Amino acid sequence: IAISPHNTDIQNEYETAFSLSHAVEYGKKVKIEWRDVGGGSSSILHHLRNVYENSDRSGIDIVWGGGEYNFQKMAADGVLQPMTVSPDVLENVPATFAGLQMYDKEKFWFGSAVSGFGLFYNKQLLERLKLPEPKLWEDLGAPEFHNLIGLADPNQSGSAAASYEMIVQSGDSWASGWAKLLGILGNAKKYYAGAGDATEAIPSGEVIVTTCIDFYGTNRAARYPEILVYTSPKGQTSFNPDPIAILKNPPHPLIAQRMVDFVLSLRGQALWALPVGHPSGPIRVALGRQPIRKDVYTQYKGMLSPLILNPYEVGQSLAVDTELWSMSYGLLRQLVGAAAVKNAERLKAAKKKLIDTGFPADMVAEFNRLPENVATREDVRKTDRLLRDEKQLDIIVTDWILFFRDKYNRITS
């Protein structure tokens, strides 16, 4: 029994491959029941926390997918149990990569793939509007893209939150990274509930470009290559682990461990990246995801789907400031919510005023100015601690919403 935000293509391909592998090795097929709690990774975390607050078991074996942030929380909450990982997996998966943990040192969770973040756009519409194809994050902040970008609410989408963190991390400092991000947020036409909704708006032309997690973009670009493009901004995105874990007191502990073994095996990892038709590849749909094992990229060189990047190539990945990530990731979700999602039209109007007036220095400085309690890196550290208290969170976020509202009104008046 598994719970996962992964789409049905991933669920079906891995269930088929694991069941066949298990039948060959152990003489019995496996049927996976996929639990659905009506949402993505945040909903799954909330559900599991509620269940384990009232019981020492959930009736679920495996939790799979959704980014390491939620798995770190589950490990801290004590709802996961340690897994056994074979030596060949440890030989091919680094403990850390570009500053990020690829697996928990106690093996409460282990990366099952890596996820990068990038730009997804409708190249036909760009050509029609005579706009350049974006290559780097800052390209989305250019005046030409005003009111053309679709973005997701980071408080509802973990992948959107991670992409915004990438943009901030690609700056020279917290303040300059925020300015880069705010310039992009100011070009947004609309904020969608989820990152999947934002990507689905690109083919229709409702918006022209969005930020997204790599497998959303590569899967859709592979289906409509004449219209859609996904590109990873080289050196401006990290590759984060997408973990798998065994929940505390699973109903089928032996099968759960065998499923983990399969997903982390060379065969299981190749399934992410091989095309349909390859003997070790998927049966129905190419999954288009980056394997976490290094040996997949060498053993299957030249056979992987064309949109698969090797994250371990020199210069491909952004070296993450893990301290800043740790103290700003949750805070940034709230800050973007206050500055952009809750003040969307005011922000867009303020950015338009900057464009129309030629970006005067004093107005740009005011536009980029942060609330005093997050103005510096040390302020971020202190405020992040306060946000962990629900009452303080409500007070601080309400103050931020008013701060940005008043600032944008001054700029446009």
Side-chain angles (χ1 to χ4, degrees), residues 64 91-92 99 120 129 210 226 256 316 348 350 354 371 373 379:
W64 186 19
E91 288 170 9
N92 285 288
F120 180 58
L129 294 172
T210 188
E226 69 285 353
Q316 189 65 58
K348 185 161 57 175
L354 292 184
N373 57 0
D379 294 329

Side-chain angles (χ1 to χ4, degrees), residues 265-313:
S265 70
L266 180 63
R267 165 75 178 83
Q269 287 286 293
L271 189 60
W272 286 126
L274 288 169
V276 174
H278 189 283
S280 297
I283 294 172
R284 304 171 194 86
V285 181
L287 302 180
R289 296 207 59 184
Q290 315 288 144
I292 197 167
R293 287 182 62 133
K294 289 183 174 182
D295 55 348
V296 175
Y297 299 98
T298 54
Q299 296 277 355
Y300 293 93
K301 189 173 183 179
M303 304 177 214
L304 303 179
S305 299
L307 293 174
I308 295 294
L309 296 172
N310 182 351
Y312 300 110
E313 285 182 354

